[in-house]
Amino acid sequence: MTGGVWLLRRLVASVAIVFAVITFIFILIHLAPGKPCSENLDPRVCTLLTRQFGLDQPIAVQYWRYLVELAHGNLGMSFSLRRPVWDALVETVPFTLQLAGAALVFDFLLGLGLGIYQAARVNRLPDLVLGNATLFIYSLPTFWLAPILLLVFGEKLGWFPVGGASDPIFCPQVDSLYCVADRLWHLVLPATTLGVVGAAGTARFQRAAMLEVASQDYVRTARAKGVPERQIVLRHQLRNALLSFITRFGLAFPFLLTGAVLVETIFAWPGMGRLAFDAILTRDYPVVTASALIASTVVVAGNLLADILLGFADPRLRVHAAADADVVTA
Amino acid sequence: MLSAMLRRSAFSYYIVLTVATLGACERRGGCTTAGCGTLIDAAVVEPPTLLPPSTEDIVASDIAEQLFLKLADVGMSTNTVGDEDFQPLLAQRWEWDGPLTLVFHIDPRARWQDGQRVTAADVEFTFNAYNDSAVASPFRPKLQRIEKVTQRDSLTAVFRFREKYPEMFYDAVYHMRILPAHLLRSVPREQWRTAPFGRQPVGDGPYRFVRWQAAQSIELVADTTFFLGRPGIRRLIWRFTPSLPVAVQQVIADQADIREQLVTPDNVERAKAAKQLAIYPFRGNVYTFLSFNQRAPGDTSKPHPLFGDRDVRRALTMAVDRASLVKSTLGDLGQVPPGPISALVGIWAPDIRQLPYDTAQAARLLSLHGWRDHDGDGIRDKDGQPLAFHILVPSSSGLRKQYARLLQEQFRAIGVRAEIDELEGSVVAQRTGSGNYDTAILSRSNDPSPGSGITQSWTLAGFGGSNFGRYYNPEFERIVQRAISAPKRDQARTLWRYALETINADAPGIFLYALANVGAVHKRVENVQFRPDSWAALLRTWRIPPDRLIDRDRVER
């Protein structure tokens, strides 16, 4: 029951956060200088369009209209794409989820593996080499790494496609195993760009967490009892070090979504990040606000999921959460 | 358990690797005859709609060339005077019925791709739509001299003009693509910009619309029943890549076939080094200039404190070594324009009189007007006010940002301080459109006629429109009107020359560079012709010989 109250409280807070974000974004983007017209469009035509889009109304009126439409499930009409925002999001969000999902898998599988490997060989040569390598990769800016990967593996070696999400001739739609493979092939460079920097960070994080747990009494006890080293690492150290891993999982969502903006633009990946970036530049207010709505929902949901997972991984946290809920309800 | 999991993930890795390897292999298709072939264009902009009157987006225009026909089109000469150089398209023939009436006879073989005949009613409907303010077509100002379009019978459309002038035929045919009235009549005009028709068009051109993958590609397929002959290449794909360098990489890596504008000397060199690419230079249709705002920023009722003075503008123009700037930034890819025109326009002539590069004379002129360095800080001043201003430049344009810095240095050399404001394109548009700027580096594209571009950007007709700097000289207006109305080509040319020399002397802007276009196309394609005003206008005549087909040409779907 108390767990249910805690969850309900978190859900209400999540909705409030999302609402606050879209309100903030709505006001901010409308107050920003610029207008939704290209540089060479005749200002007279621009004025006509501005009127057609209702942008000549006071911002409070526009906001109220937006909320009324939102309550009816209508995200509005994109100025730059000339189509319903919902249609644009339905087409682009799955691409961002594919990219972010692949990057997340890459990030955590590689990062976790490296972190465990380094912790098991602490202060030995592999640990030192990998420690410096991960620090080097962690400090690589994505805007530099992405074009380099494109240049080397796309243009020069020709191993991977130079941008795009699929082969426009053979696989305009993913409707066969061949086209699934084609999508994965197109995913390699953008997902690597987005995931490799995160993996380096995860590895350093995980190594530190493993080493912290290694000095705990129960690990020493297990070792004194003659438990095999592999079992100590996997069962005692790793399980307890997973708490920080789950926290990092929750924090990874904002990183992946913001990183996706740049990566999608450079790799011509047709996702929501590229859509939002273009919308900001063209002052396409409905798309910007809708993207913020989706992004904030994903981030809040990711953090909620991480909190729930933490509760499962560490019963002590469930007790604290329940106690907090009792205090509030009392 | 974890080790089992790790083993499973390793297994999944091999599966993915195998499938990905499969994906890396191209499949062989079956089409092997003439008329096969697929061309992929690496485009950097995705159009918002394919409905012609609702957009002037360049990629939309390229695609619309394949879907919607004009009545007739300019030839390779891009001569816009008279009708002798025009090629028939939808109109089989035409004749003049008096000085102000032009009669078009529509080709009876022409069909919309849903099987309906193309009729004169479509032509009348199209003209009315382009002229409807609810459609907000950017082409509307270019049709103002046509009084009305009517239908004499189902295949005869009659254009009635308000006055006689040499480019009557050009105005009648160049700006409008004929639209299917039976499909668009029921769509409210104010909804045309967002009409579903714009994303799934039905045309009458050499290609049919197949699919639009948002943010990815648009695919067209040849209409084998096209009344002017089957196109030489079966499938055209515009693949959208938001970054020019990546678009160029796609062509170099043989993952696309066409990049119609390479833009920078570096890209041209890289494309030349790719053995599968052929390079096609053609005249550019864009010029770039530093616009002087002649009215006070944000208050058009007052003159600008600096640029309201013609001699200050002239002095600043003479302080810039435009030839050296073009050479150092663009090499052979650019030229100094002889006025506010691109190389596309037929009146281009390098010997048109311009203000010289003469820093000594520039300095003298400023001193003569009281702009001297009274306080010894290296910047000229007058009545305590320094000779300083801002240069507005869109942050998205690397070339224009580079030019802003070079101009800043050249102005500094004569004691003028220029500060650079690099802002987003939408902000630049807002500030220039509302007259809230000192100077701005702007680009303008021309159609082949000097009349419409110069009128919109440099005369009273452009106030509140594209004449951002509010340049006005009654003498210039008079000469432009005479040039537009001149009955003979030579006479028009002389008048245009005089008009350009007049505006150059007034220095409403510093005309910095006109880009030459260089395109890259895969060598397997034959009969490649880039018409300067529209590279894609003759795409239907390109072809790939059967012995040069590659895998992506042969694929059947």
Side-chain angles (χ1 to χ4, degrees):
Chain A
M1 182 62 189
T2 48
V5 171
W6 173 83
L7 188 62
L8 189 66
R9 275 178 54 205
R10 285 299 308 265
L11 283 174
V12 171
S14 300
V15 171
I17 289 169
V18 171
F19 182 75
V21 167
I22 58 170
T23 303
F24 183 67
I25 295 287
F26 187 94
I27 293 170
L28 208 63
I29 190 75
H30 278 77
L31 292 180
K35 55 185 175 179
C37 297
S38 66
E39 186 193 330
N40 287 330
L41 188 66
D42 189 313
R44 288 169 293 207
V45 177
C46 181
T47 305
L48 267 175
L49 293 178
T50 304
R51 206 172 299 141
Q52 278 186 10
F53 293 138
L55 297 174
D56 52 343
Q57 300 293 316
I59 190 169
V61 174
Q62 292 182 52
Y63 182 58
W64 175 247
R65 282 182 182 168
Y66 177 75
L67 288 183
V68 170
E69 290 297 320
L70 191 62
H72 288 86
N74 185 2
L75 294 172
M77 185 67 81
S78 162
F79 306 155
S80 60
L81 304 172
R82 316 263 179 93
R83 58 198 298 234
V85 174
W86 176 257
D87 291 359
L89 286 175
V90 163
E91 283 173 357
T92 53
V93 167
F95 283 99
T96 297
L97 292 179
Q98 287 166 24
L99 176 59
L104 201 64
V105 169
F106 189 89
D107 176 341
F108 285 134
L109 282 184
L110 187 64
L112 194 65
L114 283 178
I116 295 168
Y117 182 80
Q118 280 183 260
R121 287 155 186 80
V122 66
N123 292 335
R124 283 150 59 185
L125 186 64
D127 178 38
L128 293 175
V129 170
L130 284 172
N132 285 308
T134 52
L135 184 62
F136 172 74
I137 292 170
Y138 195 57
S139 31
L140 289 179
T142 311
F143 64 81
W144 179 85
L145 183 62
I148 291 296
L149 290 180
L150 264 182
L151 181 71
V152 175
F153 297 102
E155 185 185 327
K156 299 290 180 197
L157 297 173
W159 292 355
F160 296 102
V162 181
S166 57
D167 186 315
I169 301 169
F170 296 105
C171 293
Q173 279 152 349
V174 181
D175 52 8
S176 64
L177 184 63
Y178 175 86
C179 291
V180 171
D182 177 69
R183 174 61 52 82
L184 290 172
W185 188 45
H186 280 79
L187 197 53
V188 171
L189 290 185
T192 303
T193 307
L194 200 54
V196 74
V197 177
T202 303
R204 296 183 68 77
F205 217 80
Q206 191 60 30
R207 176 186 177 274
M210 294 283 285
L211 291 180
E212 190 183 335
V213 173
S215 60
Q216 298 293 318
D217 290 345
Y218 54 84
V219 175
R220 276 207 300 270
T221 307
R223 199 164 275 135
K225 284 166 70 180
V227 177
E229 190 60 26
R230 184 184 176 88
Q231 204 172 332
I232 290 172
V233 169
L234 294 180
R235 185 172 290 175
H236 298 282
Q237 271 183 268
L238 179 61
R239 186 163 179 197
N240 285 288
L242 274 179
L243 293 179
S244 59
F245 177 79
I246 293 171
T247 306
R248 189 170 166 78
F249 170 79
L251 294 173
F253 284 91
F255 166 75
L256 287 173
L257 286 175
T258 51
V261 173
L262 186 71
V263 170
E264 287 179 1
T265 302
I266 294 176
F267 286 97
W269 188 261
M272 196 186 74
R274 182 174 145 196
L275 180 79
F277 180 68
D278 291 344
I280 290 167
L281 293 183
T282 55
R283 297 293 185 270
D284 192 343
Y285 306 133
V287 173
V288 173
T289 317
S291 303
L293 173 70
I294 302 287
S296 56
T297 304
V298 170
V299 170
V300 167
N303 277 283
L304 184 62
L305 182 65
D307 284 350
I308 293 169
L309 288 175
L310 278 174
F312 279 108
D314 187 347
R316 289 170 301 177
L317 294 176
R318 259 179 288 166
V319 173
H320 286 308
D324 288 347
D326 287 343
V327 169
V328 172
T329 47
Chain B
M1 185 180 163
L2 183 73
S3 56
M5 201 174 81
L6 285 173
R7 275 199 302 277
R8 269 206 303 277
S9 54
F11 178 67
S12 309
Y13 172 77
Y14 288 123
I15 295 242
V16 167
L17 194 66
T18 309
V19 177
T21 308
L22 272 175
C25 304
E26 289 190 352
R27 296 186 300 191
R28 285 192 168 266
C31 186
T32 54
T33 58
C36 292
T38 299
L39 289 186
I40 302 176
D41 178 76
V44 289
V45 176
E46 181 179 21
T49 175
L50 296 178
L51 185 53
S54 301
T55 179
E56 59 178 347
D57 176 276
I58 191 73
V59 178
S61 171
D62 296 339
I63 299 172
E65 289 274 12
Q66 322 310 319
L67 294 171
F68 298 98
L69 294 180
K70 296 173 178 176
L71 288 166
D73 210 349
V74 292
M76 283 300 280
S77 67
T78 65
N79 171 32
T80 57
V81 176
D83 60 2
E84 60 267 29
D85 283 356
F86 283 78
Q87 309 294 315
L89 283 175
L90 205 50
Q92 199 171 37
R93 59 193 170 86
W94 54 84
E95 75 248 353
W96 292 92
D97 189 3
L100 298 179
T101 306
L102 177 58
V103 180
F104 287 99
H105 298 278
I106 294 165
D107 195 317
R109 298 170 298 167
R111 294 280 184 283
W112 295 108
Q113 284 151 0
D114 62 359
Q116 298 273 322
R117 281 177 65 177
V118 181
T119 67
D122 293 319
V123 181
E124 183 185 9
F125 172 80
T126 300
F127 175 76
N128 292 333
Y130 270 78
N131 267 293
D132 190 335
S133 61
V135 173
S137 173
F139 302 99
R140 188 175 172 224
K142 299 175 179 180
L143 300 169
Q144 294 306 302
R145 290 170 177 223
I146 303 172
E147 186 187 341
K148 61 180 177 181
V149 174
T150 53
Q151 41 179 321
R152 187 172 287 170
D153 59 51
S154 70
L155 290 176
T156 311
V158 181
F159 281 62
R160 177 81 186 169
F161 290 83
R162 295 182 200 281
E163 59 189 295
K164 183 172 165 52
Y165 58 100
E167 293 187 330
M168 293 164 83
F169 190 86
Y170 167 78
D171 277 350
V173 302
Y174 192 78
H175 309 294
M176 290 189 293
R177 295 183 186 283
I178 307 305
L179 304 168
H182 66 288
L183 296 174
L184 285 165
R185 208 183 292 282
S186 60
V187 181
R189 296 266 171 84
E190 61 276 8
Q191 291 175 21
W192 272 33
R193 288 192 160 254
T194 54
F197 182 91
R199 294 188 75 85
Q200 207 155 16
V202 176
D204 56 356
Y207 285 86
R208 292 170 182 267
F209 175 84
V210 177
R211 65 166 60 84
W212 187 332
Q213 304 274 95
Q216 295 184 74
S217 61
I218 288 177
E219 180 177 339
L220 311 180
V221 68
D223 183 353
T224 52
T225 63
F226 181 56
F227 70 100
L228 293 174
R230 179 187 172 143
I233 288 169
R234 191 171 51 162
R235 188 180 288 119
L236 302 177
I237 294 172
W238 273 260
R239 191 177 190 187
F240 307 121
T241 304
S243 142
L244 175 68
V246 177
V248 173
Q249 277 184 316
Q250 285 183 346
V251 183
I252 290 171
D254 202 5
Q255 292 171 20
D257 301 298
I258 310 167
R259 176 61 224 152
E260 64 275 14
Q261 287 185 21
L262 294 166
V263 183
T264 67
D266 176 50
N267 286 341
V268 173
E269 289 311 310
R270 289 171 62 213
K272 277 181 181 170
K275 62 180 185 302
Q276 84 279 11
L277 293 177
I279 302 298
Y280 294 88
F282 61 109
R283 281 180 283 153
N285 67 343
V286 175
Y287 69 93
T288 300
F289 61 103
L290 180 79
S291 165
F292 293 125
N293 187 2
Q294 298 186 29
R295 312 306 298 176
D299 182 1
T300 55
S301 65
K302 294 178 189 160
H304 191 283
L306 297 177
F307 308 122
D309 185 336
R310 180 175 183 260
D311 281 341
V312 171
R313 301 196 307 264
R314 284 169 61 89
L316 291 175
T317 303
M318 285 190 282
V320 176
D321 184 1
R322 293 178 295 155
S324 297
L325 293 186
V326 167
K327 196 168 182 188
S328 63
T329 53
L330 293 164
D332 296 335
L333 275 186
Q335 297 178 77
V336 174
I341 53 169
S342 71
L344 174 66
V345 181
I347 58 171
W348 175 290
D351 59 341
I352 288 172
R353 196 164 54 241
Q354 302 181 61
L355 292 173
Y357 168 54
D358 187 340
T359 51
Q361 198 181 336
R364 266 199 305 277
L365 202 54
L366 290 174
S367 299
L368 200 67
H369 282 258
W371 291 104
R372 296 167 191 274
D373 185 7
H374 296 98
D375 53 10
D377 67 348
I379 302 299
R380 291 168 186 269
D381 53 85
K382 186 165 88 173
D383 304 329
Q385 291 298 315
L387 183 45
F389 57 88
H390 290 253
I391 300 175
L392 191 59
V393 62
S395 54
S396 56
S397 170
L399 186 55
R400 282 193 262 174
K401 285 193 291 188
Q402 188 183 0
Y403 251 87
R405 289 183 198 106
L406 294 167
L407 288 174
Q408 187 181 41
E409 279 308 308
Q410 301 219 333
F411 290 145
R412 197 200 312 270
I414 58 158
V416 176
R417 187 171 67 225
E419 286 173 24
I420 299 168
D421 296 340
E422 289 179 12
L423 296 168
E424 284 175 38
S426 60
V427 183
V428 172
Q430 185 187 40
R431 289 190 48 186
T432 50
S434 60
N436 189 15
Y437 71 104
D438 290 327
T439 69
I441 302 185
L442 303 172
S443 285
R444 288 273 183 274
S445 57
N446 288 135
D447 53 37
S449 161
S452 58
I454 287 181
T455 305
Q456 291 304 313
S457 297
W458 301 101
T459 71
L460 201 57
F463 274 34
S466 301
N467 187 354
F468 296 152
R470 295 197 164 237
Y471 167 68
Y472 175 65
N473 176 346
E475 173 68 1
F476 176 70
E477 305 258 335
R478 195 178 56 78
I479 306 165
V480 166
Q481 286 312 312
R482 283 181 59 206
I484 288 172
S485 307
K488 290 187 178 163
R489 205 192 230 174
D490 288 346
Q491 198 180 349
R493 204 177 169 81
T494 307
L495 285 162
W496 276 121
R497 184 185 186 89
Y498 183 34
L500 291 181
E501 289 180 351
T502 304
I503 196 172
N504 285 342
D506 284 340
I510 305 177
F511 305 114
L512 297 169
Y513 60 88
L515 271 176
N517 284 341
V518 178
V521 180
H522 200 287
K523 276 181 180 164
R524 75 184 191 283
V525 187
E526 275 189 349
N527 202 31
V528 174
Q529 289 187 88
F530 278 56
R531 207 178 73 195
D533 64 310
S534 169
W535 73 269
L538 300 170
L539 250 177
R540 70 187 165 93
T541 63
W542 298 16
R543 61 176 181 268
I544 302 172
D547 60 328
R548 291 199 206 158
L549 295 172
I550 60 175
D551 280 347
R552 61 174 172 256
D553 296 320
R554 285 188 281 258
V555 70
E556 298 270 21
R557 268 202 265 116

